[in-house]
Amino acid sequence: MNKRWYVTTAIDYVNGQPHLGHAYEKILADVIARARRSLGQEVFFLTGLDEHGQKVEQTAASQQKDTQAYCDELAENWKAFVRKLNLTNDDFVRTTEARHKACVQACLAHVNAHGHVYRKTYRGFYSTKEETFLTEKDRRPDGTFDPAYGEVIELEEENYFFRLQDQQQWLIDYIEANPSFVQPDYRRNEVLGFLRNNTLEDLCISRPRERLSWGIPLPFDDQYVTYVWFDALVNYISIPAAHGDPALRALRGFEGAANDGPALWPADVHIIGKDILKFHAVYWPIMLKALGLPLPRQLLVHGWWQKDGQKMSKTTGNVVDPVAVIDEWGVDAFRFYVLRELDIGPDGNWTDASFRDRYTSALANGLGNLLNRSLSMLRAYRQSIVPEPSGELSAEAQQVATETRALLEENRLQAALQKIWTLVDRGNVYVEQTKPFKLAKDPAQAKQLDAVLYNLAETCRVLAVLLWPFLPETSAKIYAQLNLPGVPDRFEAAAWGGLPKGHNVAQPVPLFPRKDT
Ligand code: MSP
């Protein structure tokens, strides 16, 4: 069976409401998933929730709620959020599900049986907020720990450790030999720098039950639960295993996965934020090697959003609520802004003013205007009937399609949108240059007017195809206004000449109404 193209997002902690950063990552993954499908690949797109750990337990307790009931309640919000963003995920993982827990336990049993785990007493510091152990090395020059760790407690306890110490060199060699494994390059260099300049400490993968009960019990010692990161990373294979991935047969502890299903692992791309790179580029590969599994093909690491140049924070109220923006402006306006504003890699800055500017210039005056004037003129001058095909803009449109395809294959989403907008702008300039409103006044220019109207309508159709991964709702609306059946979800439909002569298009309806601000 052919392997499906498998894309994942990080799974979000369930202790709060979704914000701009979560939305951004999911939209990146969705565009990549849609683009691959459009290009003819079979895709599996996974997103979901990270529900274990002390943070979740504490938040639930602070609201006097049963932890599972609290997770169930929030999970509904997050699932609604996924629909709001118009994501095409094939599954939604929750780490409290039986199918996930079974796989985590199978992984733990495997690494334990193969000598990767041992027990020892740990003395040191612990950050609940980051669910991580800290050492003296983590202190800042003034002796304190970074405030990002929240309250740091000192503790001594027996725990299980996963061996990392002898794993450093092969990982360095692997990352050096596979430049595309961590992208962008500066993130790859960051990982290499970390690995070359530090000695890996073995990873504590358990938490004693009396301190933390909200986790997956270790299969070899039920007095302990699994460290939340060991649990969370496994989601990338637990769901494929639950679907019956043949590569994961040995880990299919879940009874529902008796039969072989689609081949998914290894993931083609894990999309993650820069803050969780170490977990994905160091711990996860070592876990996979210990499990005898291949590594994911790529970690694609995005930057962090700020708002108005400041860290987003619930306490100061400096946040962007994606749901409110979508309710006011539409999901595609939101998708467009985040994708067009920020390349995958650097940090970004949201301002309401730049959101409005992009909405007005690129969407309302750019794409929206092009479709509206094209269809309005076709209606005014040709009763909405498509004239004889003409290829004046064909070469340019085909060039844009070819280059867009190449950019999509490299996951260069911002560059692809910029490329697509060269065609939007070309269409609008074409109107200014050919002046159809003048041609219409002179019956001798009827043929020329036919040609212009064809080129405009066909350019809109090609744009709908190219835009499908990014702005699916808009793309579908363009197809509907062109009175074409279905949705433009096949890239090959971008070939010039799809609109047949004599086809009757529908009424123009503004795609992005201008807003008085
Ligand atoms: N639960 C872990 C991930 C486990 S993956 C096996 C986690 N959750 S999180 O909710 O804190 O973050 C989820 C994702 O959102 C991360 O990739 C993180 O980088 C991203 N973002 C959180 N805030 C962000 C911004 N302000 N901007 C962009 N992305 C950010 O970490």
Side-chain angles (χ1 to χ4, degrees):
M1 195 190 304
N2 285 341
K3 187 185 131 21
R4 288 207 207 165
W5 209 88
Y6 177 31
V7 47
T8 69
T9 66
I11 51 173
D12 305 315
Y13 288 125
V14 77
N15 63 325
Q17 299 295 335
H19 63 55
L20 171 61
H22 303 126
Y24 175 61
E25 184 172 287
K26 292 184 163 59
I27 290 171
L28 294 178
D30 186 58
V31 177
I32 289 174
R34 285 177 186 264
R36 297 286 161 167
R37 290 193 202 99
S38 175
L39 291 170
Q41 270 164 312
E42 270 199 280
V43 171
F44 193 88
F45 165 21
L46 180 64
T47 187
L49 287 173
D50 190 353
E51 302 191 359
H52 287 125
Q54 203 149 353
K55 263 199 275 197
V56 174
E57 189 175 51
Q58 285 176 349
T59 315
S62 73
Q63 300 181 14
Q64 282 97 44
K65 287 187 175 144
D66 167 70
T67 320
Q68 187 65 58
Y70 166 82
C71 289
D72 292 347
E73 198 181 306
L74 277 180
E76 288 311 309
N77 287 354
W78 284 82
K79 285 184 175 171
F81 185 59
V82 157
R83 290 190 291 274
K84 191 100 196 167
L85 297 173
N86 207 352
L87 304 186
T88 52
N89 53 308
D90 295 281
D91 203 335
F92 186 94
V93 53
R94 298 182 54 194
T95 56
T96 52
E97 292 167 329
R99 58 180 184 162
H100 172 74
K101 291 186 193 171
C103 185
V104 171
Q105 291 192 323
C107 290
L108 286 162
H110 182 106
V111 294
N112 188 45
H114 289 78
H116 298 279
V117 176
Y118 65 95
R119 189 179 161 134
K120 76 167 183 199
T121 303
Y122 173 86
R123 255 175 237 99
F125 304 97
Y126 189 71
S127 151
T128 308
K129 183 155 174 273
E130 293 304 312
E131 304 275 12
T132 193
F133 289 94
L134 301 168
T135 64
E136 289 298 337
K137 277 190 293 183
D138 295 306
R139 286 189 193 274
R140 299 186 296 181
D142 68 357
T144 61
F145 291 105
D146 193 298
Y149 289 119
E151 191 197 357
V152 174
I153 52 170
E154 206 172 348
L155 51 77
E156 173 178 335
E157 65 190 24
E158 288 254 303
N159 266 311
Y160 289 89
F161 287 79
F162 177 60
R163 292 183 207 279
L164 299 180
Q165 273 174 2
D166 24 350
Q167 306 288 328
Q168 202 153 340
Q169 194 53 48
W170 74 260
L171 187 55
I172 295 176
D173 295 344
Y174 184 85
I175 297 174
E176 281 176 344
N178 294 278
S180 59
F181 177 56
V182 181
Q183 279 297 310
D185 274 339
Y186 49 91
R187 295 294 172 211
R188 171 171 173 264
N189 292 335
E190 194 179 300
V191 177
L192 282 173
F194 170 80
L195 284 170
R196 289 186 189 124
N197 299 320
N198 294 278
T199 305
L200 288 180
E201 306 263 346
D202 291 339
L203 179 68
C204 179
I205 55 162
S206 64
R207 300 292 184 262
R209 233 179 192 171
E210 70 258 20
R211 184 155 72 76
L212 173 69
S213 61
W214 189 239
I216 301 175
L218 294 185
F220 44 85
D221 187 341
D222 67 4
Q223 290 313 299
Y224 288 85
V225 300
T226 312
Y227 170 45
V228 68
W229 268 101
F230 195 100
D231 160 354
L233 286 162
V234 168
N235 93 86
Y236 302 133
I237 53 175
S238 67
I239 299 313
H243 283 266
D245 189 337
L248 303 170
R249 228 170 253 150
L251 298 172
R252 283 196 234 151
F254 183 61
E255 59 199 16
N259 299 321
D260 276 356
L264 300 175
W265 193 258
D268 290 271
V269 61
H270 289 318
I271 298 173
I272 56 166
K274 62 179 186 178
D275 55 317
I276 55 175
L277 178 56
K278 186 166 102 181
F279 297 98
H280 286 80
V282 180
Y283 302 157
W284 183 224
I286 295 175
M287 284 165 65
L288 287 165
K289 184 152 187 278
L291 291 164
L293 292 173
L295 306 195
R297 296 198 171 127
Q298 185 168 75
L299 307 175
L300 187 55
V301 188
H302 64 77
W304 267 45
W305 282 93
Q306 296 192 322
K307 175 159 192 271
D308 302 324
Q310 314 258 310
K311 192 175 154 65
M312 286 188 285
S313 145
K314 264 187 282 184
T315 31
T316 59
N318 188 48
V319 286
V320 177
D321 174 2
V323 174
V325 177
I326 292 169
D327 286 342
E328 187 178 350
W329 299 83
V331 63
D332 280 359
F334 181 77
R335 289 171 65 114
F336 178 78
Y337 179 74
V338 295
L339 294 161
R340 177 62 187 79
E341 179 71 19
L342 186 57
D343 194 12
I344 301 177
D347 289 339
N349 186 32
W350 175 292
T351 69
D352 291 345
S354 80
F355 180 89
R356 288 205 174 91
D357 285 351
R358 286 204 186 279
Y359 180 91
T360 305
S361 60
L363 297 178
N365 296 345
L367 179 63
N369 185 31
L370 178 63
L371 179 72
N372 209 262
R373 69 211 299 204
S374 302
L375 293 187
S376 300
M377 291 189 292
L378 194 52
R379 185 174 56 168
Y381 309 138
R382 295 291 180 267
Q383 293 80 48
S384 299
I385 309 280
V386 173
E388 179 106 21
S390 152
E392 231 174 335
L393 294 181
S394 157
E396 285 163 88
Q398 292 317 286
Q399 180 70 19
V400 168
T402 306
E403 290 176 28
T404 301
R405 169 194 280 266
L407 291 166
L408 288 176
E409 281 166 350
E410 292 174 27
N411 302 326
R412 293 181 53 200
L413 309 185
Q414 186 195 45
L417 271 185
Q418 284 166 319
K419 181 54 64 187
I420 296 169
W421 248 261
T422 64
L423 186 59
V424 172
D425 295 341
R426 179 66 186 105
N428 278 320
V429 167
Y430 182 71
V431 176
E432 311 307 328
Q433 287 172 339
T434 56
K435 301 191 175 46
F437 24 90
K438 274 200 176 159
L439 297 176
K441 292 191 182 123
D442 179 0
Q445 308 262 32
K447 279 257 166 264
Q448 177 56 13
L449 181 59
D450 278 349
V452 169
L453 295 174
Y454 186 88
N455 279 283
L456 286 172
E458 179 61 6
T459 297
C460 291
R461 195 194 62 80
V462 172
L463 283 168
V465 178
L466 302 183
L467 284 170
W468 168 257
F470 302 90
L471 312 180
E473 201 177 84
T474 303
S475 197
K477 280 183 189 165
I478 298 175
Y479 249 44
Q481 292 191 35
L482 289 169
N483 193 24
L484 293 168
V487 289
D489 60 358
R490 291 282 156 247
F491 200 90
E492 61 204 20
W496 188 264
L499 275 177
K501 180 183 173 185
H503 176 76
N504 205 331
V505 303
Q507 298 286 319
V509 184
L511 289 175
F512 299 99
R514 289 192 184 81
K515 301 224 180 199
D516 297 323
T517 48

